[in-house]
Amino acid sequence: MDTKIISLDDFEKVDIRVGTIIDASVNKRARHPAYKLKIDFGDEIGVKLSSAQITTLYKPEELIGKQVVCVINFSPIRISEVKSEVRVLGADTDNGVSLLTLDKRVLNGKRIY
């Protein structure tokens, strides 16, 4: 694995925030199984949409209320009918993607450093 070294300035350009999933449903038209997520990032940022390929390890009803870690300043991409505005972060496992979560609740919109 060739790890690319970046500067701290480059890392600080990536805006990583905590949000709470308030709605989750199947993204029926996605090429690969995915969920359409509505994520609340608090008053300053608001609610954003995402499409996430996390169907192997999670059911939609399990996701409601879960706090997740997301990149909020990538350019939006269209995944079927969903304009995915944020990138939900997770780690690939042998059984599917496991979401990055927090062990304590924090305010929606808090920045990850």
Side-chain angles (χ1 to χ4, degrees):
M1 174 188 213
D2 185 24
T3 302
K4 303 263 187 224
I5 302 297
I6 64 171
S7 70
L8 185 56
D9 287 339
D10 287 337
F11 177 74
E12 288 177 346
K13 291 176 187 174
V14 181
D15 195 350
I16 306 170
R17 304 282 180 133
V18 175
T20 299
I21 298 173
I22 59 172
D23 190 46
S25 60
V26 175
N27 186 350
K28 296 176 184 171
R29 292 187 172 172
R31 270 188 275 179
H32 303 286
Y35 293 137
K36 177 171 50 173
L37 305 175
K38 285 186 183 177
I39 305 169
D40 182 2
F41 291 97
D43 292 337
E44 182 183 330
I45 299 165
V47 174
K48 300 290 184 181
L49 295 177
S50 187
S51 181
Q53 294 177 7
I54 55 173
T55 59
T56 307
L57 295 179
Y58 302 96
K59 291 180 173 47
E61 59 273 12
E62 296 172 330
L63 294 168
I64 306 301
K66 184 178 284 294
Q67 285 197 301
V68 290
V69 177
C70 304
V71 175
I72 67 164
N73 66 334
F74 286 151
S75 295
I77 59 172
R78 183 150 302 276
I79 300 173
S80 70
E81 76 272 1
V82 177
K83 180 182 176 186
S84 192
E85 301 170 292
V86 300
R87 178 75 179 239
V88 180
L89 300 180
D92 198 18
T93 73
D94 290 340
N95 299 318
V97 175
S98 177
L99 293 171
L100 268 116
T101 60
L102 300 153
D103 65 345
K104 304 277 191 254
R105 296 226 29 112
V106 301
L107 291 175
N108 289 335
K110 283 295 186 182
R111 188 153 188 184
I112 302 291
Y113 295 98

